[in-house]
Amino acid sequence: MTSSHFAELIAYAQAHTGPASERQGSFITAYFENTDPDEIVSRGPATLFAQANAHWRLLDAPRAANTPKIRVFNPTLAEDGFVSDHTVVQIVNDNMPFLVDSVTMAINRSGRTAHWIVHPLMSVARDANGSVTAVSTVAAAKAAGRSDPVESLILVECDRIVDQAAQQALVEDLKSVLSDVRGAVVDWQPMLARAREVRAACERATQAPEKRDEAIAFLAWLEDRHFTFLGVRDYDLKREGDNVSLVAIADSGLGILRGPVKTAETRLPPEVVALMDSTEMVMVTKAMTRATVHRPAWLDYIAVKRFDDAGNVIGESRFLGLYTSTAYSEPVGNIPLVRQRVTNVMNTSGVVPESHAAKSLQAILDDYPRDELFQIDAATLADHAIGILRLQERQRTRLFLRRDPFGRFTSAQVFVPRDRYNTELRVKIGNELMMALNGQSIEFTPMLTDSPLARIHYLVRAKDIAPQNVNLAILEARIAKLAQRWEDDCTAELLRSHGEGNGLSLANRFANAFPTAYREDFSALVGAEDADMLASLNPGAPMMVKLYRPLDAGPGILRFKIYNTAKVALSDSLPVLEHMGQGYWMNIRTPSSAVQRLCGYMTLACNYLPIPICHQSKCALKTCSRKPGAARLKVMTSIAWYSIPRWMHAPLPSCVPARVISSNWVLPIARTT
């Protein structure tokens, strides 16, 4: 805020607060201290004072300990002293981490946009009744030697909420979110202590040293600011015949898992039972719920096995949270468990150390989706990494799938040529994956680098359970078809017809030259045929025509195409067609829309083809009962068209339309002088 606007606001506040001017003046100073100056200038002192005053009333009201005050309202002049096009959310809460992010997430999750956020931190002194006696910035209180509690005020303007019930629903959602934030913050140290206890228990386990040591190192790595612990709970393993399940231990929850258990017992699928019986001590996956605290991501799920004195698995300690930004930027060689898998891939891939292939494989592993590296098993990682490496030898569309052991989602990495990647293709591939993988929702993360291939990482959440036996080859072929452009199909047909040498030459000349309107109406196979016709034109034979019957044409419908090294104006060509046998055996049918499209073909073809060649079509010729045979008709039409000197650039200035007489094949051409 500029000093002039700030002074104007303070002067306005002092003039309108009366006896409380000193106390509220310091409040308003602290309230807008770090606000966007553009917002301050655009709103004016009267509106700003009214907004701060409304929040002051919420702050000054008594508040129960450890409980937020929340107000969601549409301001009015009579009650609030200002009006707004948006709904206003005002919150007073004890200061703690994650507040603004979590509140904004809750508003966005309701389908609304946050248009303006103000978040001042206040040093607040209260009397025995909870009323405010002094308020200032945290820095001012510290300078004055006061240690009053710091309270967080949050103002959000979001999309307008007209319905009172919807406003109250947002209030309840915000209360739940702030309760989760408080639980995660208050239980932060107890959750860290639980993690240390679990790590100490792992040190006493009698498992294989290489597995045990990596698990212990991974837990220590998580504690070292690489994981935001949001919740923890212990579970007992229950076996009844072939049924294996995890049973939540009451009162073991901390953070967002504190309180009553929502799902007391969970039956484990065979894949998870196999993991429980394996030598792995730590299992990493994604939970089925999104975080309500800090970041709107799916919660990371880390399960550490619990053992009895005999070394048998008796349960797990489950940690929910989010990896920190440093975890995503950490070199893979520094991350326990992950580094073990990466080393295994490098050793089993067969690449020569320090070779180009080895460096490329290491780069692939470094750039591999980090969440996948935490969750994937060594065998699948090796298969995917080597498959990606082979794409450097043969660039093409590829698909790599990994199914979650619980069957809750499928991870899909799709590689497509970078020059073909766009939003439309990304959506089409996502829809294809949703259908094939029983998807309920889908998320994507694209990555475009200097590589000729673009990578899109999809996470497809299943409706009930993710399919196990997906035909990867068929699904990959369907995705490759989606990534195939009209130009690619045309090029493929030219290569098939002419071989690689001549085919590539024709493809480079014509495949990208056809305008969009042409590609919408004609297949790539037809385009390849027309490219052959256009390529055959030369100064000695500068024009060709084709009269043909499309496969999908109705009775008596023909199409006529002109290929020319010079532009043929629509105003010149249509009169000729209109009078070729008018009243005898042929009538032209050209609605206004068709004429416009034809004109577009003529203009665009001339502009985009690499040589001055015109290619026109879409003239629908409707024959009557006196028509000659198709072969004679084609010959007669060709003779008529070739006989008009104007198309051949003869010196004659113009011509009148020709008339073809079918009875004796006479072709009179009338010319003006």
Side-chain angles (χ1 to χ4, degrees):
M1 184 189 304
T2 62
S3 57
S4 61
H5 290 97
F6 191 80
E8 185 180 359
L9 175 59
I10 296 301
Y12 186 92
Q14 290 175 345
H16 291 80
T17 52
S21 60
E22 181 177 352
R23 185 177 59 171
Q24 285 190 253
S26 60
F27 170 77
I28 293 174
T29 301
Y31 193 85
F32 292 112
E33 184 179 36
N34 296 311
T35 304
D36 182 0
D38 292 338
E39 293 288 344
I40 296 296
V41 173
S42 65
R43 292 169 188 270
T47 298
L48 294 172
F49 171 77
Q51 288 178 315
N53 192 50
H55 217 152
W56 165 263
R57 295 199 302 269
L58 191 66
L59 175 68
D60 195 34
R63 180 169 65 90
N66 303 326
T67 304
K69 296 282 287 186
I70 303 173
R71 185 185 179 206
V72 177
F73 64 103
N74 294 322
T76 62
L77 281 174
E79 184 176 353
D80 305 293
F82 72 103
V83 293
S84 174
D85 294 333
H86 307 304
T87 290
V88 176
V89 179
Q90 291 181 337
I91 299 173
V92 177
N93 194 66
D94 298 329
N95 183 47
M96 57 187 64
F98 311 136
L99 285 177
V100 176
D101 291 342
S102 303
V103 167
T104 305
M105 283 164 46
I107 291 173
N108 294 152
R109 192 166 53 246
S110 69
R112 302 177 179 95
T113 300
H115 298 280
W116 189 38
I117 300 175
V118 179
H119 178 224
L121 297 179
M122 303 283 190
S123 179
V124 181
R126 296 180 181 270
D127 59 21
N129 297 323
S131 298
V132 175
T133 58
V135 61
S136 66
T137 63
V138 176
K142 185 177 180 180
R146 299 200 314 270
S147 58
D148 300 324
V150 178
E151 299 188 25
S152 175
L153 281 69
I154 302 175
L155 164 69
V156 181
E157 287 188 358
C158 67
D159 293 341
R160 193 170 186 85
I161 308 173
V162 178
D163 185 53
Q164 290 287 338
Q167 292 180 13
Q168 186 58 36
L170 180 58
V171 170
E172 297 303 320
D173 190 23
L174 289 171
K175 286 182 180 178
S176 176
V177 166
L178 293 176
S179 176
D180 287 345
V181 172
R182 183 176 295 277
V185 172
V186 171
D187 284 346
W188 172 260
Q189 289 300 329
M191 285 189 286
L192 281 177
R194 180 76 62 84
R196 296 188 187 102
E197 291 173 5
V198 171
R199 177 158 55 89
C202 290
E203 293 173 352
R204 296 190 297 270
T206 58
Q207 306 303 306
E210 63 275 9
K211 297 291 185 181
R212 182 188 62 203
D213 294 345
E214 278 296 289
I216 294 170
F218 181 69
L219 293 175
W221 180 82
L222 292 177
E223 297 167 21
D224 188 23
R225 299 182 180 275
H226 290 107
F227 192 74
T228 301
F229 291 89
L230 298 179
V232 59
R233 179 177 283 139
D234 290 339
Y235 293 79
D236 285 333
L237 189 66
K238 177 181 176 182
R239 297 180 185 268
E240 292 182 347
D242 294 334
N243 295 330
V244 181
S245 59
L246 286 172
V247 181
I249 299 177
D251 300 326
S252 66
L254 293 173
I256 62 175
L257 295 180
R258 179 184 289 276
V261 177
K262 295 181 180 179
T263 305
E265 184 172 347
T266 304
R267 183 176 177 180
L268 302 181
E271 297 88 348
V272 179
V273 174
L275 284 174
M276 295 294 291
D277 293 336
S278 70
T279 58
E280 298 290 340
M281 296 183 66
V282 177
M283 295 181 295
V284 180
T285 185
K286 290 284 186 179
M288 284 298 291
T289 55
R290 285 186 179 274
T292 57
V293 178
H294 186 34
R295 258 196 346 259
W298 295 99
L299 285 166
D300 291 297
Y301 171 125
I302 299 172
V304 185
K305 294 178 183 177
R306 295 168 40 237
F307 301 92
D308 60 15
D309 294 337
N312 300 313
V313 179
I314 59 172
E316 72 175 30
S317 293
R318 182 181 304 173
F319 297 91
L320 298 182
L322 298 168
Y323 293 107
T324 63
S325 58
T326 55
Y328 287 100
S329 60
E330 187 90 356
V332 294
N334 295 345
I335 305 175
L337 295 183
V338 172
R339 65 191 177 194
Q340 198 174 53
R341 296 170 193 148
V342 168
T343 301
N344 178 73
V345 172
M346 297 298 295
N347 292 338
T348 59
S349 63
V351 297
V352 178
E354 302 301 324
S355 65
H356 173 73
K359 294 177 181 178
S360 297
L361 183 58
Q362 184 63 56
I364 289 169
L365 294 169
D366 290 339
D367 292 335
Y368 204 83
R370 186 56 55 94
D371 282 326
E372 282 295 290
L373 280 178
F374 286 124
Q375 302 171 49
I376 198 169
D377 61 275
T380 304
L381 178 60
D383 180 60
H384 287 186
I386 294 172
I388 296 170
L389 178 65
R390 288 172 180 160
L391 287 176
Q392 297 181 0
E393 303 168 0
R394 183 187 170 203
Q395 297 169 7
R396 62 196 187 279
T397 300
R398 283 300 310 272
L399 170 66
F400 300 94
L401 297 179
R402 184 188 67 84
R403 183 180 182 271
D404 169 53
F406 288 90
R408 297 175 296 193
F409 64 86
T410 302
S411 170
Q413 292 185 72
V414 181
F415 290 82
V416 297
R418 185 179 59 183
D419 59 346
R420 301 180 196 174
Y421 174 78
N422 54 32
T423 301
E424 181 183 6
L425 177 60
R426 188 256 303 161
V427 171
K428 287 181 178 179
I429 295 174
N431 292 337
E432 189 70 39
L433 292 173
M434 286 282 283
M435 289 188 293
L437 302 175
N438 190 32
Q440 181 181 42
S441 65
I442 189 169
E443 296 181 5
F444 64 92
T445 305
M447 188 181 79
L448 284 79
T449 63
D450 56 357
S451 168
L453 294 174
R455 184 188 75 194
I456 315 107
H457 180 212
Y458 294 92
L459 197 67
V460 183
R461 294 270 164 179
K463 293 178 182 177
D464 39 33
I465 187 167
Q468 289 182 303
N469 300 315
V470 178
N471 192 318
L472 183 62
I474 292 178
L475 181 57
E476 185 176 79
R478 291 206 300 264
I479 291 175
K481 187 65 177 176
L482 293 175
Q484 195 87 353
R485 301 174 302 177
W486 188 96
E487 298 92 318
D488 301 320
D489 292 334
C490 183
T491 298
E493 178 60 21
L494 289 171
L495 290 174
R496 187 194 65 79
S497 301
H498 298 279
E500 187 166 335
N502 293 334
L504 281 177
S505 177
L506 289 171
N508 292 334
R509 187 180 178 191
F510 293 108
N512 292 304
F514 290 99
T516 302
Y518 177 92
R519 295 197 298 267
E520 290 176 352
D521 287 329
F522 295 99
S523 69
L525 298 181
V526 174
E529 290 182 359
D530 287 340
D532 287 337
M533 298 285 283
L534 293 170
S536 66
L537 300 180
N538 56 68
M543 185 184 73
M544 296 182 69
V545 296
K546 181 197 290 187
L547 187 68
Y548 66 99
R549 185 190 306 278
L551 290 175
D552 58 349
I557 299 297
L558 300 175
R559 293 279 174 85
F560 186 65
K561 287 185 179 181
I562 312 164
Y563 307 86
N564 201 338
T565 56
K567 180 177 179 179
V568 178
L570 183 65
S571 58
D572 291 334
S573 59
L574 284 183
V576 177
L577 291 172
E578 288 174 352
H579 291 79
M580 287 176 65
Q582 183 179 17
Y584 291 91
W585 54 267
M586 185 182 299
N587 292 314
I588 185 167
R589 181 168 59 89
T590 55
S592 59
S593 60
V595 172
Q596 292 172 3
R597 295 174 72 185
L598 177 60
C599 185
Y601 286 160
M602 297 173 69
T603 302
L604 289 174
C606 290
N607 289 341
Y608 283 92
L609 286 177
I611 58 176
I613 290 177
C614 285
H615 173 204
Q616 301 97 36
S617 184
K618 304 299 286 184
C619 290
L621 307 179
K622 185 174 182 179
T623 63
C624 68
S625 59
R626 296 179 58 187
K627 65 181 182 295
R632 294 179 64 192
L633 180 60
K634 292 181 181 181
V635 173
M636 292 162 60
T637 306
S638 299
I639 292 174
W641 208 265
Y642 280 118
S643 299
I644 300 173
R646 185 164 188 169
W647 311 137
M648 307 301 292
H649 306 287
L652 296 176
S654 62
C655 67
V656 297
R659 182 181 299 272
V660 178
I661 302 176
S662 60
S663 59
N664 55 12
W665 289 53
V666 175
L667 186 65
I669 303 294
R671 301 174 181 170
T672 61
T673 57

